Amino acid sequence: MVKKIMGCIREYKKASVLTPIFVAMEVVVECIIPFYIAKLVNLISAGCELGVIVKYGLILILLAFISLSFGVLSGAFCATASCGFAKNLRHDLFNKVQDFSFSNIDKFSTSSLVTRLTTDVNNVQMAYMMIIRIAVRCPFMLIFALTMAFVMCPRLSTIFVAIIPFLAFSLFLIIRKAMPLFNSVFKKYDRLNNSVQENVRGMRVVKSFVREDYEKKKFAAAADDVCGDFTKAEKIVALNSPIMQFAMYAAMILVSFFGAKLIIGTSGSAMQVGELSSLLTYGMQILSSLMMLSMIFVMLTISSASINRIGEVLCEESTIKNCENPELEVKSGSIDFENVSFKYHKKAEKMALKNINLHINSGETVGILGGTGSSKTTLIQLIPRLYDATEGCVKVGGTDVRNYDIETLRNAVSVVLQKNVLFSGTIKENLRWGDENASDEDIKRVCELACADEFINTMPKGYDTYIEQGGTNVSGGQKQRLCIARALLKKPKILILDDSTSAVDTKTDALIRKAFATEIPDTTKIIIAQRVSSVQDADKIIIMDDGEIAAIGTHDELLQSSDIYKEVYYSQNKAGDDNART
């Protein structure tokens, strides 16, 4: 999983390698500076001339400038590497989600994917920045500063060595307690984001039912839950700082006490004032490095949960893939279901579709009727391979859909789904999702077929009218007609309308169906509807019931043979003959 994530470094490998190199050089120079300061202090104590002080002063200024240069370079390369890594990570995550099948998408909630693309990526970016810079700097500083401290005074340097195990054990206990809390908090983040997303999307429903207070309480409960876990985790992590501060100042006091005693007791023969001042500097560097290392471990503890969550998405393999030598041409719009059964999950006990056998000729208009939950939508989702059949096979143009190139198949099948989606942009930009190279004449033509031109022409900017996100500035019926026009622009061999005229009046619905019959006679048209009038003139009508085909036939045939169809028809046509119902 970590290897998969590290693969996102790519073109930023150079910056990632140069960062620790310059950090190491910066550390070496920083550790040399106290050594020269000790010499200068000893020389001043011995009464040296001004020239010697100037000489050492210039050396220290030069070393400080070199250290600063290395620090600036390491910071610049670190920023480039970490930001570039995060950019690639978001890019790969987004592309991975785009390649997911519906089965994969069902596995992750929308709010969870948003959290992974934002909060989790930010955590991983911070962790990576600390790894290539601070996590390199601290061990280097610890080793070099400890080495120089032993060069200055081996006896006093053992104080620093004695403190290290105590700090390491304290850090281990902190991480052990905090890690489970950080792991759980991100799952609660998903629920919090889900509450926000659901509320914003359904704002009109919330206001129409006056449920603002309920939604506020629900959000507050989710926010308090996240806050509670974070507070517990932060309280534990906060212990790190006082423990480190205690160890640091205890070490400084011990070094100062025994150092002063050593200088006075030996009259400066064992140690001079310069060595003591430098030893205190090295001590600060050693203990500061330990403190920074503890912060790195805490950050890595937080980000490890994010790494796992991102890795889950990157390692998820799409359940729908191209075969080795896929077909690149869909010959016709004929459709065959041969002994097809389907369930949404391998562990599901019940099949959503059972023993479906169906043949649709190219160019036919087919209606599908059935009650809620009868698997009408599930049936048509197998045609463009949004899902794969669990048993049996689905054929388009006489070829198993699994043998087609996915892009080729889906370009030949236009689906106007139950939930119509428009994106922010002009009407033209939305329609060109069907064909990005479509001319203005092509766009106007499909809008005429979908009866969308009548309301577009009344808008001040016509086809350049801006559509708000989600199509909130157009009505449900207008949105449906725009989505139908967009689907027609693909010039598909199969056109599927999944209850896509439910918000359109019956007159417009009839005009759209008439246009389909005369303008695209060679296109296979599948219409899922609730109104019998929408499918009454179809070449055949399929009645679905509990995932099975209950009946197939024309309108007249089904009135004679199907009780389900008769019940639906007469319930929608109350003026029908009462005797015919019986």
Side-chain angles (χ1 to χ4, degrees):
M1 191 175 288
V2 173
K3 185 179 179 181
K4 189 87 172 178
I5 293 174
M6 289 298 102
C8 297
I9 298 170
R10 291 196 291 274
E11 69 269 29
Y12 298 99
K13 284 181 181 177
K14 181 180 178 182
S16 299
V17 171
L18 287 174
T19 298
I21 290 173
F22 283 117
V23 165
M25 297 169 103
E26 179 191 12
V27 167
V28 170
V29 176
E30 278 190 30
C31 289
I32 292 173
I33 289 173
F35 181 79
Y36 277 94
I37 290 175
K39 281 192 171 185
L40 179 59
V41 170
N42 289 337
L43 288 170
I44 292 171
S45 299
C48 67
E49 297 178 355
L50 181 62
V52 175
I53 297 173
V54 171
K55 175 186 173 184
Y56 275 90
L58 290 172
I59 291 172
L60 288 171
I61 290 171
L62 179 62
L63 289 172
F65 178 77
I66 293 170
S67 177
L68 176 65
S69 300
F70 287 148
V72 169
L73 288 170
S74 66
F77 282 117
C78 180
T80 301
S82 60
C83 292
F85 169 63
K87 179 199 74 173
N88 286 346
L89 195 55
R90 287 192 186 94
H91 176 273
D92 288 2
L93 274 170
F94 187 79
N95 283 3
K96 190 73 175 180
V97 172
Q98 294 301 308
D99 290 335
F100 278 174
S101 67
F102 275 27
S103 296
N104 298 117
I105 292 170
D106 292 341
K107 184 176 178 180
F108 302 97
S109 68
T110 305
S111 57
S112 177
L113 289 173
V114 170
T115 305
R116 293 169 205 242
L117 275 159
T118 52
T119 305
D120 288 329
V121 170
N122 287 338
N123 287 340
V124 173
Q125 178 184 349
M126 287 295 296
Y128 185 67
M129 181 180 70
M130 295 184 83
I131 286 169
I132 62 174
R133 192 177 187 194
I134 302 174
V136 173
R137 176 185 174 81
C138 293
F140 267 91
M141 180 64 78
L142 186 64
I143 293 167
F144 280 111
L146 199 57
T147 302
M148 294 301 291
F150 270 96
V151 169
M152 289 290 178
C153 184
R155 277 190 289 179
L156 291 181
S157 298
T158 54
I159 293 171
F160 303 126
V161 176
I163 287 175
I164 291 174
F166 164 73
L167 295 177
F169 181 70
S170 301
L171 181 61
F172 169 76
L173 291 179
I174 289 170
I175 291 174
R176 187 178 179 183
K177 291 286 185 183
M179 186 71 175
L181 292 170
F182 283 121
N183 283 333
S184 67
V185 80
F186 287 106
K187 294 177 182 177
K188 294 179 180 179
Y189 252 132
D190 290 346
R191 289 197 287 272
L192 182 68
N193 285 345
N194 188 54
S195 177
V196 174
Q197 183 185 27
E198 192 177 55
N199 186 269
V200 171
R201 184 181 293 171
M203 185 63 70
R204 288 169 176 78
V205 178
V206 172
K207 290 190 176 297
S208 64
F209 281 88
V210 197
R211 296 286 281 175
E212 291 92 341
D213 289 340
Y214 171 78
E215 288 296 326
K216 286 176 184 176
K217 289 176 182 177
K218 189 170 78 170
F219 177 80
D224 289 342
D225 205 11
V226 171
C227 179
D229 271 9
F230 253 129
T231 302
K232 289 177 186 176
E234 291 295 341
K235 280 180 179 178
I236 295 169
V237 170
L239 294 173
N240 178 62
S241 183
I243 290 171
M244 289 293 171
Q245 293 284 352
F246 171 76
M248 182 183 293
Y249 291 116
M252 292 300 100
I253 291 169
L254 290 173
V255 168
S256 298
F257 175 78
F258 288 111
K261 194 173 181 181
L262 190 63
I263 292 170
I264 295 168
T266 61
S267 301
S269 61
M271 175 184 277
Q272 294 180 305
V273 176
E275 277 81 4
L276 179 59
S277 65
S278 294
L279 196 62
L280 291 171
T281 303
Y282 287 130
M284 288 294 291
Q285 288 176 338
I286 291 166
L287 296 172
S288 295
S289 298
L290 287 170
M291 182 176 285
M292 290 303 296
L293 275 174
S294 68
M295 290 176 63
I296 291 167
F297 277 114
V298 169
M299 186 62 205
L300 289 178
T301 300
I302 297 172
S303 63
S304 63
S306 295
I307 290 170
N308 289 331
R309 286 160 53 81
I310 291 171
E312 283 176 359
V313 177
L314 291 178
C315 294
E316 180 77 8
E317 291 298 327
S318 177
T319 57
I320 294 178
K321 296 180 179 179
N322 278 333
C323 59
E324 287 188 10
N325 297 300
E327 292 283 336
L328 300 176
E329 182 186 358
V330 178
K331 295 176 182 178
S332 70
S334 67
I335 303 168
D336 293 283
F337 284 78
E338 297 179 356
N339 302 314
V340 171
S341 294
F342 171 77
K343 56 183 176 181
Y344 284 98
H345 195 276
K346 291 179 180 178
K347 296 181 180 178
E349 295 180 3
K350 185 181 178 182
M351 289 285 186
L353 291 170
K354 293 165 278 188
N355 302 317
I356 303 296
N357 285 284
L358 175 66
H359 175 70
I360 300 171
N361 293 317
S362 183
E364 278 190 326
T365 298
V366 177
I368 302 179
L369 288 176
T372 303
S374 59
S375 297
K376 302 184 298 295
T377 298
T378 305
L379 180 74
I380 60 97
Q381 285 178 338
L382 300 183
I383 298 171
R385 276 196 86 192
L386 299 178
Y387 291 99
D388 270 338
T390 306
E391 297 174 8
C393 73
V394 180
K395 293 182 178 179
V396 170
T399 301
D400 192 325
V401 291
R402 288 169 289 201
N403 293 331
Y404 280 115
D405 172 69
I406 295 172
E407 188 174 338
T408 299
L409 175 65
R410 290 178 183 169
N411 277 331
V413 181
S414 274
V415 184
V416 183
L417 295 170
Q418 215 166 5
K419 294 181 180 178
N420 298 286
V421 177
L422 293 175
F423 299 90
S424 53
T426 64
I427 288 176
K428 279 184 182 177
E429 289 169 346
N430 266 279
L431 294 175
R432 284 195 171 113
W433 273 64
D435 180 3
E436 60 184 355
N437 299 314
S439 65
D440 289 350
E441 289 72 22
D442 291 333
I443 290 172
K444 290 177 182 177
R445 180 62 180 158
V446 295
C447 286
E448 288 172 4
L449 293 176
C451 296
D453 60 320
E454 60 184 44
F455 71 83
I456 295 174
N457 291 331
T458 63
M459 294 177 169
K461 294 185 178 180
Y463 288 87
D464 292 316
T465 300
Y466 191 82
I467 299 293
E468 301 293 340
Q469 185 179 13
T472 54
N473 59 333
V474 291
S475 70
Q478 290 171 342
K479 190 189 295 186
Q480 286 186 337
R481 282 178 276 176
L482 286 173
C483 289
I484 291 170
R486 182 173 63 188
L488 289 171
L489 206 55
K490 287 179 72 174
K491 300 180 179 65
K493 286 186 168 60
I494 300 171
L495 175 64
I496 300 172
L497 304 181
D498 186 359
D499 203 15
S500 304
T501 57
S502 57
V504 174
D505 60 86
T506 53
K507 180 183 175 182
T508 304
D509 186 14
L511 289 172
I512 292 172
R513 286 185 285 109
K514 183 179 178 182
F516 287 172
T518 56
E519 299 293 335
I520 50 171
D522 297 329
T523 298
T524 304
K525 297 164 281 291
I526 300 176
I527 303 171
I528 296 177
Q530 299 296 331
R531 292 190 298 231
V532 171
S533 60
S534 296
V535 298
Q536 189 170 332
D537 299 325
D539 296 313
K540 66 177 70 168
I541 302 169
I542 301 167
I543 307 300
M544 297 291 297
D545 184 36
D546 194 27
E548 297 182 273
I549 295 177
I552 300 177
T554 64
H555 169 70
D556 293 333
E557 290 169 349
L558 291 174
L559 279 177
Q560 300 297 321
S561 61
S562 173
D563 292 335
I564 296 174
Y565 187 77
K566 279 193 287 186
E567 183 180 348
V568 173
Y569 176 74
Y570 288 120
S571 67
Q572 293 179 9
N573 296 272
K574 293 180 180 179
D577 186 0
D578 289 338
N579 295 326
R581 299 186 194 189
T582 58

